[in-house]
């Protein structure tokens, strides 16, 4: 995942970042949640006893549920993440609708902060191949310099236009039209393990995945950080997800 770059603030008070922020702010999620939900079908109210047992003894059941795609037991848990990322990441993110809830900061009700995305030097810049069969390769130093300088100049002009309209008394909801999708926004995103697995199957690349995915790197960075938090909460479920090709049940 690489190191987290230190934000650099320009004399014009713009901040440029190449990272994303993901924080787990609240959770109710454990492997035991999967087990009691699954066993209610055969044990009824006695399935609640699973909450008092060591889930490690039942990891075979979790693997069975994952392998045979009995998905609903993986929905009886909850994780809420705080995410700060460029707006274009959120627009991709919100295509994931089933099992997700979102609340994003509003450009109507607050003045948006001048924080903008500039790719780091490790970001691959050049797309080679045709649609549906392409790869990204490293950019040249000249290309990286061009991307950095052009984006910074564009952001400075856009934010100056935004502030000028605000100074003229224009409503925030109108003035924000001048701002680009490279602006950082923030949101809370709440999901369950099943919906998160579906997200990870599409938005991360992994050597254990049975089905290939081709995510944009910036949303993959968010997915990697979410995955790391989830793995600590539900280690048996996470292991079964990887063992069965990273396909959501």
């Amino acid at each position: 995942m690489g190191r987290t770059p230190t934000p650099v603030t320009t004399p014009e008070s713009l901040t440029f970042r190449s990272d994303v922020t993901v924080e787990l702010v609240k959770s109710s999620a454990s492997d035991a949640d999967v087990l009691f939900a699954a066993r209610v079908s055969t044990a009824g109210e006695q399935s609640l006893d699973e909450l008092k047992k060591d889930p490690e003894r039942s990891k075979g059941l979790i693997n069975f549920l994952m392998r045979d795609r009995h998905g609903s037991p993986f929905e009886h848990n909850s994780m809420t993440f705080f995410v700060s990322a460029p707006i274009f990441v959120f627009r991709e993110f919100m295509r994931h609708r089933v099992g997700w809830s979102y609340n994003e900061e509003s450009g109507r009700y607050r003045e948006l902060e001048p924080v903008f995305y500039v790719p780091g030097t490790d970001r691959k810049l050049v797309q080679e191949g045709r649609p549906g069969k392409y790869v990204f390769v490293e950019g040249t130093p000249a290309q990286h310099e061009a991307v950095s300088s052009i984006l910074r100049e564009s952001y400075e002009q856009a934010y100056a236009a935004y502030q000028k309209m605000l100074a003229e008394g224009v409503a925030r909801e109108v003035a924000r039209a001048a701002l680009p999708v490279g602006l950082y926004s923030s949101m809370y995103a709440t999901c369950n393990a099943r919906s998160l697995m579906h997200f990870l199957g599409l938005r991360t690349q992994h050597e254990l995945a049975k089905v290939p995915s081709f995510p944009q790197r910036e949303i993959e960075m968010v997915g990697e950080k979410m995955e790391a938090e989830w793995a600590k909460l539900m280690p048996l479920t996470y292991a079964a997800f990887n063992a069965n090709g990273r396909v959501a049940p």
Side-chain angles (χ1 to χ4, degrees):
M1 295 167 62
R3 69 177 181 85
T4 300
T6 302
V8 177
T9 304
T10 68
E12 296 80 10
S13 297
L14 272 67
T15 299
F16 301 115
R17 294 177 56 183
S18 60
D19 64 327
V20 298
T21 298
V22 176
E23 297 177 9
L24 179 68
V25 297
K26 186 175 68 170
S27 66
S28 175
S30 72
D31 293 314
D33 297 332
V34 179
L35 297 172
F36 88 79
R39 287 196 162 123
V40 73
S41 61
T42 57
E45 68 277 5
Q46 294 179 4
S47 63
L48 289 173
D49 292 341
E50 295 298 329
L51 296 173
K52 304 173 186 177
K53 296 179 181 178
D54 180 7
E56 185 73 29
R57 296 172 56 189
S58 299
K59 63 181 180 182
L61 174 57
I62 291 177
N63 189 71
F64 162 75
L65 296 170
M66 189 77 68
R67 185 195 68 207
D68 287 13
R69 305 194 73 182
H70 297 288
S72 59
F74 298 99
E75 297 176 3
H76 295 270
N77 55 82
S78 177
M79 293 163 278
T80 298
F81 297 92
F82 172 80
V83 182
S84 176
I87 287 175
F88 66 80
V89 170
F90 287 3
R91 297 305 162 260
E92 285 196 331
F93 208 122
M94 291 173 183
R95 294 182 65 83
H96 297 266
R97 299 180 293 279
V98 178
W100 287 90
S101 297
Y102 305 106
N103 279 91
E104 184 182 355
E105 69 175 280
S106 173
R108 297 182 67 193
Y109 303 124
R110 64 168 299 187
E111 183 175 336
L112 298 171
E113 297 295 321
V115 182
F116 296 93
Y117 176 74
V118 175
T121 54
D122 58 341
R123 192 1 172 141
K124 295 179 179 179
L125 294 182
V126 180
Q127 179 178 323
E128 293 183 348
R130 57 182 174 80
K133 193 175 183 180
Y134 59 83
V135 295
F136 283 89
V137 298
E138 304 290 342
T140 66
Q143 287 172 323
H144 278 283
E145 176 58 32
V147 168
S148 178
S149 61
I150 292 171
L151 284 178
R152 289 170 187 247
E153 181 181 358
S154 175
Y155 292 151
E156 290 169 5
Q157 293 176 353
Y159 199 75
Y162 173 65
Q163 294 237 293
K164 183 176 181 180
M165 283 188 279
L166 294 180
E168 293 288 339
V170 175
R172 287 183 291 266
E173 65 182 51
V174 176
R176 65 178 173 170
L179 296 172
V181 294
L183 181 78
Y184 274 69
S185 186
S186 60
M187 72 172 177
Y188 290 107
T190 298
C191 64
N192 59 57
R194 189 183 192 185
S195 54
L196 180 58
M197 284 186 276
H198 183 259
F199 176 86
L200 294 175
L202 291 173
R203 301 300 182 178
T204 62
Q205 289 185 319
H206 198 283
E207 60 183 4
L208 296 177
K210 287 182 179 178
V211 181
S213 59
F214 306 93
Q216 183 164 341
R217 177 56 190 154
E218 289 75 14
I219 197 169
E220 184 178 36
M221 290 160 60
V222 174
E224 289 169 347
K225 290 178 178 287
M226 287 183 161
E227 181 171 343
E229 295 292 346
W230 171 55
K232 291 182 284 187
L233 294 172
M234 303 178 72
L236 300 181
T237 302
Y238 179 63
F241 175 59
N242 282 316
N244 289 278
R246 293 175 65 88
V247 176

